[in-house]
Amino acid sequence: MYQKILRRRDQTAGCGLRAVLSVHEKSTSPSAIPSPPEDAEAVKASCDSFLFESFTAEIAWELGHLLYARLLPFSSQKPTLISISLANSGQVLFQCAVGSGTAPDNEIWVQRKRNTVLRFGTSTWFQHCKYAGDEEAFKAKFGMSPQQAEKYAIHGGGVPIRVRGVEGIVAVVIVSGLKQHEDHGVIVDVINSNWQ
């Protein structure tokens, strides 16, 4: 399947931070997060992973701030955690809470979603749709014990980033704290709005 190679629309440094400041200045009200498709094949075709021209710490910083700006209007009602890490080392390039009220459990969800993306090479939303949210079927398919299965999450909000000319996943973008289709949808929305 052909995947379009994405390049950031605004190449200037600090565009993500400017977006955050703009939201703060305007006290923007939340705008609905588009829902991703629920059919696994439709997810695979449209929003399972993204192919970037390149991926650096600077790009992670910009993407993280653009996600922060998008999520900030929801923060008083739905605090979230954003995490962007490298796939090969697990090094976290960007992580922050959006709003007060995230809990240590959000970090556990981040790790479980990251594990799923890295093991299966797909988004957690794709896995959710593929197994119709049935964690028992997911666990049985891979012969996982309960202790093994608790390391993975088939809930939306974990998306792999690939780079042109590089085999495998380069980075993992996670959002945790919203409804699972929104966790996935906000990542897709921000990338589609800011990369072309």
Side-chain angles (χ1 to χ4, degrees), residues 37-50:
E38 294 185 16
D39 173 71
E41 290 309 311
V43 171
K44 194 71 154 165
S46 66
C47 62
D48 179 49
S49 68
F50 292 92

Side-chain angles (χ1 to χ4, degrees), residues 1 13 26 47-48 56 69 95 107 110 124 149 171 185 195-196:
M1 181 184 87
K26 295 177 183 173
C47 62
D48 179 49
T56 63
Q95 184 162 312
E107 182 62 39
V110 164
T124 55
W195 273 258
Q196 58 185 5

Side-chain angles (χ1 to χ4, degrees), residues 75-191:
S75 64
S76 64
Q77 299 164 342
K78 298 179 181 181
T80 54
L81 184 65
I82 302 166
S83 183
I84 303 172
S85 63
L86 294 176
N88 62 352
S89 64
Q91 178 186 6
V92 175
L93 298 178
F94 183 95
Q95 184 162 312
C96 74
V98 184
S100 297
T102 58
D105 191 49
N106 289 105
E107 182 62 39
I108 291 170
W109 277 100
V110 164
Q111 187 59 53
R112 292 177 67 211
K113 290 177 182 185
R114 182 179 296 129
N115 289 345
T116 301
V117 170
L118 293 174
R119 178 169 175 179
F120 300 101
T122 65
S123 69
T124 55
W125 183 247
F126 172 80
Q127 293 296 327
H128 173 81
C129 295
K130 182 177 179 180
Y131 292 97
D134 187 342
E135 294 188 22
E136 288 302 315
F138 173 76
K139 181 172 79 171
K141 168 74 175 169
F142 298 102
M144 293 184 199
S145 69
Q147 294 77 21
Q148 291 170 317
E150 70 185 17
K151 295 178 183 175
Y152 301 95
I154 60 168
H155 298 265
V159 175
I161 300 296
R162 302 172 192 281
V163 171
R164 175 182 58 185
V166 178
E167 189 69 33
I169 297 168
V170 171
V172 180
V173 181
I174 309 283
V175 171
S176 174
L178 303 172
K179 293 177 181 173
Q180 61 175 314
H181 69 277
E182 292 175 322
D183 281 348
H184 184 82
V186 74
I187 297 168
V188 172
D189 186 40
V190 166
I191 290 173

Side-chain angles (χ1 to χ4, degrees), residues 38-72:
E38 294 185 16
D39 173 71
E41 290 309 311
V43 171
K44 194 71 154 165
S46 66
C47 62
D48 179 49
S49 68
F50 292 92
L51 180 64
F52 281 24
E53 178 180 66
S54 65
F55 196 85
T56 63
E58 177 188 344
I59 291 170
W61 193 85
E62 297 292 358
L63 176 55
H65 280 90
L66 290 164
L67 283 164
Y68 186 95
R70 181 67 171 91
L71 291 165
L72 190 58

